[in-house]
Amino acid sequence: MIRINENYLKLKASYLFSDIAKRVAAHQQRRPEPAVIRLGIGDVTRALPDTCIAAFHEAVDEMAADATFRGYGPEQGYDFLREAIAENDFRARGADIDADEIFVSDGAKCDTGNIQELFASDVRIAIPDPVYPVYLDTNVMAGRSGTFRDGRYEGIVYLDGTADNGFIPDLPAEPVDLIYLCFPNNPTGATISKEQLKTWVDFAAANRAIILYDAAYEAFIRDDALPHSIYEIDGARNVAIEFRSFSKTAGFTGTRCAYTVVPKSLMAYTASGESHSVHRLWNRRHSTKFNGVSYPVQRAAAAIYTDAGKRQVAELIQGYMANADIIRSEMQTLGYDCIGGENAPYIWVATKGDSWAFFDMLLEKAGVVCTPGAGFGTCGEGYIRISAFNSRENVTAAMDRIRRSLKRQCHLEMTNG
Ligand SMILES: *Cc1c(COP(=O)(O)O)cnc(C)c1O
């Protein structure tokens, strides 16, 4: 009898996006006009930079002639891309990373999901709340979560993000082995300083733990003092794996290209305490289960590192961040506390009450779709996430609608009360 991996039965179905879709559909049925504006999505809306498209086209043409055609490439990625990444994303910032420590892949989602395979099934895992759901669900699938009770898995150490800690979790009170961190954060938009990140690196070193650092949004950092990479912190090469993606940086969500950095100095241990290179293990896993990102896509990604590419990516990011500025300042003017939006494309708004009720109110009164924070974890209750990934026209129109409807509501409450 073929049996299933029963850990899958412990997964909590995420009703978040289907619930949102149902409520939006019902609203549109009742009120087809004006069309809703979606500020709930975590996907980019603007086209790939011209330089990426030109390199993409050129590489496709190479595939069309026998003399320049390419078959299987190196599983870890072509040297032209790994070198450009090491030079521009790390060495230029004083982070000591070599090209052969970079593993090019088709997404940070797969990499953050697959990395846990390298570690024992009984390691203690620390996961933030609120959180990007991939870290938790992949550990549930792997059998590390324990039983779900009262809204949480018993085997997971949750790192609470709250208004008190500014959504930068405190160090766990107990020893842990594997720590997930994401900065700038999805969903809160919170960022971590070098000093704060250093406390995590030191904690990991003291516990012989590994930090899995998701930096998918580093390109949105505007404050020069903030770290773009964990490897800007002393000692991080011995305790951290970093995940990056071209998805949000350069509009590659549908094109697919990302990378993971595994320093050669990073060690993990057998039960008897013998050290092993994590780079070696990941290389083995990556080359066994993955056959590389397509050549034209890697050419398109490498074009980001040319002068024109850097300029165009910066314009793309500035466009979204100008949206973030509009959203954040409007919500603050309306009297709502906000986190994020300064160095991240997400604004995390305190709703002064139930996050689904606020979602419904924005939908009904303003025809604007956001994401209820409760969908990202128990600590997300009382917040909504507003995304800056949209056109300027849609963002200004959405904020006009929100302003008018909230003022109307406020006026009603005052006249009724
Ligand atoms: C969007 C996102 C990613 C990127 O995933 P890709 O698979 O590279 O598109 C990774 N981590 C977080 C937190 C994200 O929001």
Side-chain angles (χ1 to χ4, degrees), residues 129-131 161-163 167 185-190 327-328 336-341 346-351 371-377 379-386:
D129 178 356
V131 75
T162 62
F167 290 91
N185 190 262
N186 178 13
T188 68
I327 297 166
R328 187 183 156 97
Y336 292 93
D337 287 336
C338 299
I339 294 259
Y346 299 123
I347 297 89
W348 187 244
V349 182
T351 55
T371 314
F376 299 103
C379 292
E381 181 50 85
Y383 295 86
I384 53 150
R385 186 190 75 176
I386 304 184

PDB file of all heavy atoms in Angstrom, residues 129-131 161-163 167 185-190 327-328 336-341 346-351 371-377 379-386:
ATOM      1  N   ASP A 129       7.014  35.651  12.993  1.00  0.00           N
ATOM      2  CA  ASP A 129       5.561  35.805  12.874  1.00  0.00           C
ATOM      3  C   ASP A 129       5.296  37.290  13.019  1.00  0.00           C
ATOM      4  O   ASP A 129       5.654  37.844  14.072  1.00  0.00           O
ATOM      5  CB  ASP A 129       4.864  35.004  13.986  1.00  0.00           C
ATOM      6  CG  ASP A 129       3.336  35.168  13.956  1.00  0.00           C
ATOM      7  OD1 ASP A 129       2.827  35.953  13.133  1.00  0.00           O
ATOM      8  OD2 ASP A 129       2.672  34.524  14.781  1.00  0.00           O
ATOM      9  N   PRO A 130       4.730  37.986  12.030  1.00  0.00           N
ATOM     10  CA  PRO A 130       4.237  37.520  10.736  1.00  0.00           C
ATOM     11  C   PRO A 130       5.376  37.115   9.795  1.00  0.00           C
ATOM     12  O   PRO A 130       6.499  37.551   9.978  1.00  0.00           O
ATOM     13  CB  PRO A 130       3.484  38.745  10.195  1.00  0.00           C
ATOM     14  CG  PRO A 130       4.176  39.912  10.811  1.00  0.00           C
ATOM     15  CD  PRO A 130       4.540  39.446  12.193  1.00  0.00           C
ATOM     16  N   VAL A 131       5.010  36.338   8.746  1.00  0.00           N
ATOM     17  CA  VAL A 131       6.046  35.748   7.916  1.00  0.00           C
ATOM     18  C   VAL A 131       5.557  35.410   6.509  1.00  0.00           C
ATOM     19  O   VAL A 131       4.367  35.192   6.274  1.00  0.00           O
ATOM     20  CB  VAL A 131       6.577  34.473   8.610  1.00  0.00           C
ATOM     21  CG1 VAL A 131       5.579  33.327   8.486  1.00  0.00           C
ATOM     22  CG2 VAL A 131       7.947  34.052   8.093  1.00  0.00           C
ATOM     23  N   GLY A 161       6.961  39.399  15.883  1.00  0.00           N
ATOM     24  CA  GLY A 161       7.133  40.790  15.481  1.00  0.00           C
ATOM     25  C   GLY A 161       5.934  41.568  16.002  1.00  0.00           C
ATOM     26  O   GLY A 161       4.791  41.188  15.755  1.00  0.00           O
ATOM     27  N   THR A 162       6.200  42.644  16.741  1.00  0.00           N
ATOM     28  CA  THR A 162       5.114  43.418  17.348  1.00  0.00           C
ATOM     29  C   THR A 162       5.445  44.906  17.218  1.00  0.00           C
ATOM     30  O   THR A 162       6.578  45.271  16.872  1.00  0.00           O
ATOM     31  CB  THR A 162       4.989  43.096  18.859  1.00  0.00           C
ATOM     32  OG1 THR A 162       6.220  43.492  19.482  1.00  0.00           O
ATOM     33  CG2 THR A 162       4.745  41.617  19.106  1.00  0.00           C
ATOM     34  N   ALA A 163       4.452  45.736  17.556  1.00  0.00           N
ATOM     35  CA  ALA A 163       4.700  47.179  17.535  1.00  0.00           C
ATOM     36  C   ALA A 163       5.819  47.506  18.519  1.00  0.00           C
ATOM     37  O   ALA A 163       6.637  48.399  18.267  1.00  0.00           O
ATOM     38  CB  ALA A 163       3.421  47.925  17.908  1.00  0.00           C
ATOM     39  N   PHE A 167       8.690  45.235  14.846  1.00  0.00           N
ATOM     40  CA  PHE A 167       8.666  44.102  13.910  1.00  0.00           C
ATOM     41  C   PHE A 167      10.069  43.601  13.555  1.00  0.00           C
ATOM     42  O   PHE A 167      10.287  43.043  12.494  1.00  0.00           O
ATOM     43  CB  PHE A 167       7.814  44.421  12.675  1.00  0.00           C
ATOM     44  CG  PHE A 167       6.357  44.483  13.041  1.00  0.00           C
ATOM     45  CD1 PHE A 167       5.773  45.689  13.427  1.00  0.00           C
ATOM     46  CD2 PHE A 167       5.584  43.334  13.087  1.00  0.00           C
ATOM     47  CE1 PHE A 167       4.455  45.752  13.828  1.00  0.00           C
ATOM     48  CE2 PHE A 167       4.259  43.387  13.485  1.00  0.00           C
ATOM     49  CZ  PHE A 167       3.691  44.592  13.857  1.00  0.00           C
ATOM     50  N   ASN A 185      11.543  43.392   5.181  1.00  0.00           N
ATOM     51  CA  ASN A 185      10.608  42.314   5.434  1.00  0.00           C
ATOM     52  C   ASN A 185       9.366  42.322   4.546  1.00  0.00           C
ATOM     53  O   ASN A 185       8.815  43.360   4.228  1.00  0.00           O
ATOM     54  CB  ASN A 185      10.176  42.388   6.913  1.00  0.00           C
ATOM     55  CG  ASN A 185       9.392  41.170   7.346  1.00  0.00           C
ATOM     56  OD1 ASN A 185       8.170  41.186   7.376  1.00  0.00           O
ATOM     57  ND2 ASN A 185      10.090  40.101   7.645  1.00  0.00           N
ATOM     58  N   ASN A 186       8.969  41.144   4.155  1.00  0.00           N
ATOM     59  CA  ASN A 186       7.630  40.885   3.644  1.00  0.00           C
ATOM     60  C   ASN A 186       6.949  40.079   4.740  1.00  0.00           C
ATOM     61  O   ASN A 186       7.477  39.037   5.114  1.00  0.00           O
ATOM     62  CB  ASN A 186       7.703  40.066   2.352  1.00  0.00           C
ATOM     63  CG  ASN A 186       6.331  39.733   1.807  1.00  0.00           C
ATOM     64  OD1 ASN A 186       5.331  40.289   2.232  1.00  0.00           O
ATOM     65  ND2 ASN A 186       6.288  38.801   0.866  1.00  0.00           N
ATOM     66  N   PRO A 187       5.839  40.511   5.316  1.00  0.00           N
ATOM     67  CA  PRO A 187       4.924  41.566   4.876  1.00  0.00           C
ATOM     68  C   PRO A 187       5.104  42.947   5.519  1.00  0.00           C
ATOM     69  O   PRO A 187       4.448  43.872   5.079  1.00  0.00           O
ATOM     70  CB  PRO A 187       3.580  41.014   5.350  1.00  0.00           C
ATOM     71  CG  PRO A 187       3.898  40.330   6.645  1.00  0.00           C
ATOM     72  CD  PRO A 187       5.261  39.708   6.418  1.00  0.00           C
ATOM     73  N   THR A 188       5.950  43.128   6.525  1.00  0.00           N
ATOM     74  CA  THR A 188       5.860  44.374   7.314  1.00  0.00           C
ATOM     75  C   THR A 188       6.643  45.549   6.731  1.00  0.00           C
ATOM     76  O   THR A 188       6.428  46.687   7.148  1.00  0.00           O
ATOM     77  CB  THR A 188       6.375  44.153   8.755  1.00  0.00           C
ATOM     78  OG1 THR A 188       7.794  43.904   8.705  1.00  0.00           O
ATOM     79  CG2 THR A 188       5.677  42.985   9.428  1.00  0.00           C
ATOM     80  N   GLY A 189       7.604  45.277   5.830  1.00  0.00           N
ATOM     81  CA  GLY A 189       8.441  46.363   5.317  1.00  0.00           C
ATOM     82  C   GLY A 189       9.486  46.835   6.315  1.00  0.00           C
ATOM     83  O   GLY A 189      10.214  47.786   6.046  1.00  0.00           O
ATOM     84  N   ALA A 190       9.569  46.183   7.476  1.00  0.00           N
ATOM     85  CA  ALA A 190      10.555  46.581   8.490  1.00  0.00           C
ATOM     86  C   ALA A 190      11.975  46.277   7.995  1.00  0.00           C
ATOM     87  O   ALA A 190      12.181  45.357   7.212  1.00  0.00           O
ATOM     88  CB  ALA A 190      10.303  45.825   9.796  1.00  0.00           C
ATOM     89  N   ILE A 327       1.494  56.231  -0.409  1.00  0.00           N
ATOM     90  CA  ILE A 327       0.637  55.394   0.437  1.00  0.00           C
ATOM     91  C   ILE A 327       0.904  55.664   1.915  1.00  0.00           C
ATOM     92  O   ILE A 327      -0.008  55.893   2.707  1.00  0.00           O
ATOM     93  CB  ILE A 327       0.872  53.886   0.137  1.00  0.00           C
ATOM     94  CG1 ILE A 327       0.475  53.559  -1.312  1.00  0.00           C
ATOM     95  CG2 ILE A 327       0.117  53.008   1.136  1.00  0.00           C
ATOM     96  CD1 ILE A 327       0.977  52.211  -1.815  1.00  0.00           C
ATOM     97  N   ARG A 328       2.189  55.651   2.254  1.00  0.00           N
ATOM     98  CA  ARG A 328       2.560  55.807   3.658  1.00  0.00           C
ATOM     99  C   ARG A 328       2.124  57.166   4.205  1.00  0.00           C
ATOM    100  O   ARG A 328       1.513  57.265   5.266  1.00  0.00           O
ATOM    101  CB  ARG A 328       4.077  55.630   3.799  1.00  0.00           C
ATOM    102  CG  ARG A 328       4.567  55.609   5.224  1.00  0.00           C
ATOM    103  CD  ARG A 328       6.095  55.510   5.275  1.00  0.00           C
ATOM    104  NE  ARG A 328       6.551  56.047   6.549  1.00  0.00           N
ATOM    105  CZ  ARG A 328       6.826  55.300   7.613  1.00  0.00           C
ATOM    106  NH1 ARG A 328       6.748  53.992   7.560  1.00  0.00           N
ATOM    107  NH2 ARG A 328       7.197  55.870   8.743  1.00  0.00           N
ATOM    108  N   TYR A 336      -3.222  56.764  10.839  1.00  0.00           N
ATOM    109  CA  TYR A 336      -2.838  55.359  11.055  1.00  0.00           C
ATOM    110  C   TYR A 336      -1.325  55.227  11.218  1.00  0.00           C
ATOM    111  O   TYR A 336      -0.568  55.822  10.451  1.00  0.00           O
ATOM    112  CB  TYR A 336      -3.302  54.494   9.871  1.00  0.00           C
ATOM    113  CG  TYR A 336      -4.800  54.398   9.812  1.00  0.00           C
ATOM    114  CD1 TYR A 336      -5.543  55.292   9.045  1.00  0.00           C
ATOM    115  CD2 TYR A 336      -5.479  53.435  10.577  1.00  0.00           C
ATOM    116  CE1 TYR A 336      -6.930  55.230   9.020  1.00  0.00           C
ATOM    117  CE2 TYR A 336      -6.859  53.375  10.555  1.00  0.00           C
ATOM    118  CZ  TYR A 336      -7.582  54.267   9.774  1.00  0.00           C
ATOM    119  OH  TYR A 336      -8.945  54.198   9.769  1.00  0.00           O
ATOM    120  N   ASP A 337      -0.922  54.436  12.226  1.00  0.00           N
ATOM    121  CA  ASP A 337       0.503  54.142  12.409  1.00  0.00           C
ATOM    122  C   ASP A 337       0.961  53.194  11.314  1.00  0.00           C
ATOM    123  O   ASP A 337       0.286  52.207  11.028  1.00  0.00           O
ATOM    124  CB  ASP A 337       0.750  53.484  13.775  1.00  0.00           C
ATOM    125  CG  ASP A 337       0.603  54.500  14.900  1.00  0.00           C
ATOM    126  OD1 ASP A 337       0.770  55.702  14.634  1.00  0.00           O
ATOM    127  OD2 ASP A 337       0.310  54.068  16.036  1.00  0.00           O
ATOM    128  N   CYS A 338       2.122  53.502  10.732  1.00  0.00           N
ATOM    129  CA  CYS A 338       2.652  52.671   9.647  1.00  0.00           C
ATOM    130  C   CYS A 338       4.083  52.252   9.937  1.00  0.00           C
ATOM    131  O   CYS A 338       4.863  53.017  10.491  1.00  0.00           O
ATOM    132  CB  CYS A 338       2.665  53.452   8.329  1.00  0.00           C
ATOM    133  SG  CYS A 338       1.055  53.983   7.767  1.00  0.00           S
ATOM    134  N   ILE A 339       4.378  51.038   9.496  1.00  0.00           N
ATOM    135  CA  ILE A 339       5.758  50.524   9.488  1.00  0.00           C
ATOM    136  C   ILE A 339       6.052  50.279   8.006  1.00  0.00           C
ATOM    137  O   ILE A 339       5.134  50.026   7.236  1.00  0.00           O
ATOM    138  CB  ILE A 339       5.822  49.187  10.268  1.00  0.00           C
ATOM    139  CG1 ILE A 339       5.527  49.393  11.741  1.00  0.00           C
ATOM    140  CG2 ILE A 339       7.115  48.440  10.035  1.00  0.00           C
ATOM    141  CD1 ILE A 339       6.748  49.426  12.621  1.00  0.00           C
ATOM    142  N   GLY A 340       7.317  50.307   7.627  1.00  0.00           N
ATOM    143  CA  GLY A 340       7.681  49.961   6.250  1.00  0.00           C
ATOM    144  C   GLY A 340       7.430  51.084   5.272  1.00  0.00           C
ATOM    145  O   GLY A 340       7.117  52.216   5.656  1.00  0.00           O
ATOM    146  N   GLY A 341       7.612  50.785   3.979  1.00  0.00           N
ATOM    147  CA  GLY A 341       7.376  51.777   2.943  1.00  0.00           C
ATOM    148  C   GLY A 341       8.519  52.760   2.751  1.00  0.00           C
ATOM    149  O   GLY A 341       8.496  53.560   1.816  1.00  0.00           O
ATOM    150  N   TYR A 346       6.372  47.552   0.800  1.00  0.00           N
ATOM    151  CA  TYR A 346       5.168  47.235   1.567  1.00  0.00           C
ATOM    152  C   TYR A 346       4.990  48.207   2.718  1.00  0.00           C
ATOM    153  O   TYR A 346       5.963  48.562   3.394  1.00  0.00           O
ATOM    154  CB  TYR A 346       5.245  45.808   2.133  1.00  0.00           C
ATOM    155  CG  TYR A 346       5.354  44.752   1.053  1.00  0.00           C
ATOM    156  CD1 TYR A 346       6.422  43.864   1.036  1.00  0.00           C
ATOM    157  CD2 TYR A 346       4.401  44.664   0.041  1.00  0.00           C
ATOM    158  CE1 TYR A 346       6.535  42.902   0.038  1.00  0.00           C
ATOM    159  CE2 TYR A 346       4.514  43.707  -0.960  1.00  0.00           C
ATOM    160  CZ  TYR A 346       5.577  42.830  -0.962  1.00  0.00           C
ATOM    161  OH  TYR A 346       5.689  41.886  -1.951  1.00  0.00           O
ATOM    162  N   ILE A 347       3.734  48.601   2.941  1.00  0.00           N
ATOM    163  CA  ILE A 347       3.391  49.454   4.071  1.00  0.00           C
ATOM    164  C   ILE A 347       2.487  48.629   4.974  1.00  0.00           C
ATOM    165  O   ILE A 347       1.493  48.055   4.513  1.00  0.00           O
ATOM    166  CB  ILE A 347       2.691  50.759   3.627  1.00  0.00           C
ATOM    167  CG1 ILE A 347       3.652  51.589   2.755  1.00  0.00           C
ATOM    168  CG2 ILE A 347       2.288  51.613   4.818  1.00  0.00           C
ATOM    169  CD1 ILE A 347       3.595  51.300   1.308  1.00  0.00           C
ATOM    170  N   TRP A 348       2.871  48.555   6.237  1.00  0.00           N
ATOM    171  CA  TRP A 348       2.183  47.726   7.227  1.00  0.00           C
ATOM    172  C   TRP A 348       1.429  48.684   8.135  1.00  0.00           C
ATOM    173  O   TRP A 348       2.045  49.480   8.845  1.00  0.00           O
ATOM    174  CB  TRP A 348       3.254  46.937   7.986  1.00  0.00           C
ATOM    175  CG  TRP A 348       2.853  45.888   8.949  1.00  0.00           C
ATOM    176  CD1 TRP A 348       3.077  45.900  10.304  1.00  0.00           C
ATOM    177  CD2 TRP A 348       2.255  44.612   8.666  1.00  0.00           C
ATOM    178  NE1 TRP A 348       2.659  44.725  10.861  1.00  0.00           N
ATOM    179  CE2 TRP A 348       2.145  43.924   9.893  1.00  0.00           C
ATOM    180  CE3 TRP A 348       1.786  44.003   7.493  1.00  0.00           C
ATOM    181  CZ2 TRP A 348       1.577  42.640   9.971  1.00  0.00           C
ATOM    182  CZ3 TRP A 348       1.247  42.734   7.579  1.00  0.00           C
ATOM    183  CH2 TRP A 348       1.146  42.064   8.808  1.00  0.00           C
ATOM    184  N   VAL A 349       0.112  48.647   8.036  1.00  0.00           N
ATOM    185  CA  VAL A 349      -0.712  49.678   8.664  1.00  0.00           C
ATOM    186  C   VAL A 349      -1.457  49.100   9.858  1.00  0.00           C
ATOM    187  O   VAL A 349      -2.138  48.071   9.735  1.00  0.00           O
ATOM    188  CB  VAL A 349      -1.748  50.219   7.641  1.00  0.00           C
ATOM    189  CG1 VAL A 349      -2.584  51.335   8.250  1.00  0.00           C
ATOM    190  CG2 VAL A 349      -1.057  50.690   6.365  1.00  0.00           C
ATOM    191  N   ALA A 350      -1.338  49.752  11.005  1.00  0.00           N
ATOM    192  CA  ALA A 350      -2.081  49.333  12.202  1.00  0.00           C
ATOM    193  C   ALA A 350      -3.533  49.750  12.020  1.00  0.00           C
ATOM    194  O   ALA A 350      -3.827  50.925  11.780  1.00  0.00           O
ATOM    195  CB  ALA A 350      -1.483  49.983  13.446  1.00  0.00           C
ATOM    196  N   THR A 351      -4.460  48.778  12.118  1.00  0.00           N
ATOM    197  CA  THR A 351      -5.851  49.038  11.749  1.00  0.00           C
ATOM    198  C   THR A 351      -6.729  49.432  12.935  1.00  0.00           C
ATOM    199  O   THR A 351      -7.923  49.641  12.765  1.00  0.00           O
ATOM    200  CB  THR A 351      -6.458  47.796  11.081  1.00  0.00           C
ATOM    201  OG1 THR A 351      -6.290  46.678  11.960  1.00  0.00           O
ATOM    202  CG2 THR A 351      -5.777  47.501   9.760  1.00  0.00           C
ATOM    203  N   THR A 371      -4.130  43.456   1.845  1.00  0.00           N
ATOM    204  CA  THR A 371      -3.972  42.104   2.373  1.00  0.00           C
ATOM    205  C   THR A 371      -4.083  42.152   3.896  1.00  0.00           C
ATOM    206  O   THR A 371      -3.316  42.877   4.535  1.00  0.00           O
ATOM    207  CB  THR A 371      -2.603  41.512   1.981  1.00  0.00           C
ATOM    208  OG1 THR A 371      -2.381  41.768   0.595  1.00  0.00           O
ATOM    209  CG2 THR A 371      -2.562  40.021   2.236  1.00  0.00           C
ATOM    210  N   PRO A 372      -5.040  41.389   4.486  1.00  0.00           N
ATOM    211  CA  PRO A 372      -5.165  41.391   5.942  1.00  0.00           C
ATOM    212  C   PRO A 372      -3.943  40.739   6.598  1.00  0.00           C
ATOM    213  O   PRO A 372      -3.503  39.662   6.187  1.00  0.00           O
ATOM    214  CB  PRO A 372      -6.414  40.533   6.195  1.00  0.00           C
ATOM    215  CG  PRO A 372      -7.063  40.354   4.877  1.00  0.00           C
ATOM    216  CD  PRO A 372      -6.015  40.512   3.835  1.00  0.00           C
ATOM    217  N   GLY A 373      -3.392  41.404   7.597  1.00  0.00           N
ATOM    218  CA  GLY A 373      -2.169  40.922   8.244  1.00  0.00           C
ATOM    219  C   GLY A 373      -2.321  39.564   8.892  1.00  0.00           C
ATOM    220  O   GLY A 373      -1.356  38.804   8.990  1.00  0.00           O
ATOM    221  N   ALA A 374      -3.530  39.249   9.351  1.00  0.00           N
ATOM    222  CA  ALA A 374      -3.763  37.974  10.031  1.00  0.00           C
ATOM    223  C   ALA A 374      -3.383  36.797   9.137  1.00  0.00           C
ATOM    224  O   ALA A 374      -3.055  35.720   9.630  1.00  0.00           O
ATOM    225  CB  ALA A 374      -5.222  37.866  10.468  1.00  0.00           C
ATOM    226  N   GLY A 375      -3.398  37.003   7.824  1.00  0.00           N
ATOM    227  CA  GLY A 375      -3.025  35.941   6.896  1.00  0.00           C
ATOM    228  C   GLY A 375      -1.547  35.590   6.937  1.00  0.00           C
ATOM    229  O   GLY A 375      -1.130  34.575   6.374  1.00  0.00           O
ATOM    230  N   PHE A 376      -0.738  36.412   7.585  1.00  0.00           N
ATOM    231  CA  PHE A 376       0.712  36.153   7.649  1.00  0.00           C
ATOM    232  C   PHE A 376       1.156  35.611   9.003  1.00  0.00           C
ATOM    233  O   PHE A 376       2.349  35.473   9.256  1.00  0.00           O
ATOM    234  CB  PHE A 376       1.498  37.436   7.351  1.00  0.00           C
ATOM    235  CG  PHE A 376       1.253  38.004   5.982  1.00  0.00           C
ATOM    236  CD1 PHE A 376       0.430  39.107   5.810  1.00  0.00           C
ATOM    237  CD2 PHE A 376       1.852  37.435   4.857  1.00  0.00           C
ATOM    238  CE1 PHE A 376       0.208  39.651   4.542  1.00  0.00           C
ATOM    239  CE2 PHE A 376       1.635  37.966   3.594  1.00  0.00           C
ATOM    240  CZ  PHE A 376       0.808  39.076   3.435  1.00  0.00           C
ATOM    241  N   GLY A 377       0.184  35.346   9.898  1.00  0.00           N
ATOM    242  CA  GLY A 377       0.552  34.833  11.214  1.00  0.00           C
ATOM    243  C   GLY A 377      -0.243  35.521  12.302  1.00  0.00           C
ATOM    244  O   GLY A 377      -0.866  36.562  12.059  1.00  0.00           O
ATOM    245  N   CYS A 379       0.643  37.223  14.813  1.00  0.00           N
ATOM    246  CA  CYS A 379       1.088  38.590  15.133  1.00  0.00           C
ATOM    247  C   CYS A 379       0.669  39.608  14.070  1.00  0.00           C
ATOM    248  O   CYS A 379       0.857  40.812  14.257  1.00  0.00           O
ATOM    249  CB  CYS A 379       2.597  38.645  15.313  1.00  0.00           C
ATOM    250  SG  CYS A 379       3.177  37.779  16.769  1.00  0.00           S
ATOM    251  N   GLY A 380       0.135  39.127  12.948  1.00  0.00           N
ATOM    252  CA  GLY A 380      -0.306  40.047  11.903  1.00  0.00           C
ATOM    253  C   GLY A 380      -1.711  40.580  12.155  1.00  0.00           C
ATOM    254  O   GLY A 380      -2.159  41.511  11.472  1.00  0.00           O
ATOM    255  N   GLU A 381      -2.405  39.998  13.139  1.00  0.00           N
ATOM    256  CA  GLU A 381      -3.755  40.486  13.474  1.00  0.00           C
ATOM    257  C   GLU A 381      -3.652  41.946  13.917  1.00  0.00           C
ATOM    258  O   GLU A 381      -2.740  42.329  14.642  1.00  0.00           O
ATOM    259  CB  GLU A 381      -4.364  39.612  14.592  1.00  0.00           C
ATOM    260  CG  GLU A 381      -5.767  40.018  14.984  1.00  0.00           C
ATOM    261  CD  GLU A 381      -6.719  40.175  13.795  1.00  0.00           C
ATOM    262  OE1 GLU A 381      -7.300  39.175  13.360  1.00  0.00           O
ATOM    263  OE2 GLU A 381      -6.877  41.322  13.308  1.00  0.00           O
ATOM    264  N   GLY A 382      -4.599  42.769  13.416  1.00  0.00           N
ATOM    265  CA  GLY A 382      -4.557  44.188  13.761  1.00  0.00           C
ATOM    266  C   GLY A 382      -3.771  45.031  12.762  1.00  0.00           C
ATOM    267  O   GLY A 382      -3.555  46.222  12.983  1.00  0.00           O
ATOM    268  N   TYR A 383      -3.373  44.401  11.647  1.00  0.00           N
ATOM    269  CA  TYR A 383      -2.609  45.118  10.616  1.00  0.00           C
ATOM    270  C   TYR A 383      -3.102  44.725   9.230  1.00  0.00           C
ATOM    271  O   TYR A 383      -3.679  43.651   9.049  1.00  0.00           O
ATOM    272  CB  TYR A 383      -1.112  44.777  10.710  1.00  0.00           C
ATOM    273  CG  TYR A 383      -0.498  45.254  11.989  1.00  0.00           C
ATOM    274  CD1 TYR A 383      -0.553  44.455  13.135  1.00  0.00           C
ATOM    275  CD2 TYR A 383       0.092  46.506  12.082  1.00  0.00           C
ATOM    276  CE1 TYR A 383      -0.024  44.905  14.342  1.00  0.00           C
ATOM    277  CE2 TYR A 383       0.626  46.961  13.277  1.00  0.00           C
ATOM    278  CZ  TYR A 383       0.570  46.156  14.404  1.00  0.00           C
ATOM    279  OH  TYR A 383       1.083  46.612  15.586  1.00  0.00           O
ATOM    280  N   ILE A 384      -2.860  45.595   8.261  1.00  0.00           N
ATOM    281  CA  ILE A 384      -3.012  45.215   6.857  1.00  0.00           C
ATOM    282  C   ILE A 384      -1.706  45.558   6.136  1.00  0.00           C
ATOM    283  O   ILE A 384      -0.956  46.425   6.582  1.00  0.00           O
ATOM    284  CB  ILE A 384      -4.172  45.955   6.143  1.00  0.00           C
ATOM    285  CG1 ILE A 384      -4.030  47.469   6.331  1.00  0.00           C
ATOM    286  CG2 ILE A 384      -5.527  45.436   6.611  1.00  0.00           C
ATOM    287  CD1 ILE A 384      -4.588  48.276   5.202  1.00  0.00           C
ATOM    288  N   ARG A 385      -1.467  44.848   5.039  1.00  0.00           N
ATOM    289  CA  ARG A 385      -0.313  45.164   4.190  1.00  0.00           C
ATOM    290  C   ARG A 385      -0.822  45.849   2.934  1.00  0.00           C
ATOM    291  O   ARG A 385      -1.726  45.339   2.266  1.00  0.00           O
ATOM    292  CB  ARG A 385       0.433  43.886   3.803  1.00  0.00           C
ATOM    293  CG  ARG A 385       1.726  44.160   3.032  1.00  0.00           C
ATOM    294  CD  ARG A 385       2.333  42.889   2.445  1.00  0.00           C
ATOM    295  NE  ARG A 385       1.595  42.433   1.276  1.00  0.00           N
ATOM    296  CZ  ARG A 385       1.940  41.393   0.511  1.00  0.00           C
ATOM    297  NH1 ARG A 385       2.996  40.666   0.838  1.00  0.00           N
ATOM    298  NH2 ARG A 385       1.230  41.049  -0.528  1.00  0.00           N
ATOM    299  N   ILE A 386      -0.261  47.019   2.628  1.00  0.00           N
ATOM    300  CA  ILE A 386      -0.568  47.676   1.356  1.00  0.00           C
ATOM    301  C   ILE A 386       0.693  47.607   0.499  1.00  0.00           C
ATOM    302  O   ILE A 386       1.790  47.921   0.961  1.00  0.00           O
ATOM    303  CB  ILE A 386      -1.005  49.148   1.547  1.00  0.00           C
ATOM    304  CG1 ILE A 386      -2.194  49.234   2.505  1.00  0.00           C
ATOM    305  CG2 ILE A 386      -1.382  49.755   0.199  1.00  0.00           C
ATOM    306  CD1 ILE A 386      -2.760  50.640   2.688  1.00  0.00           C
TER     307      ILE A 386
END
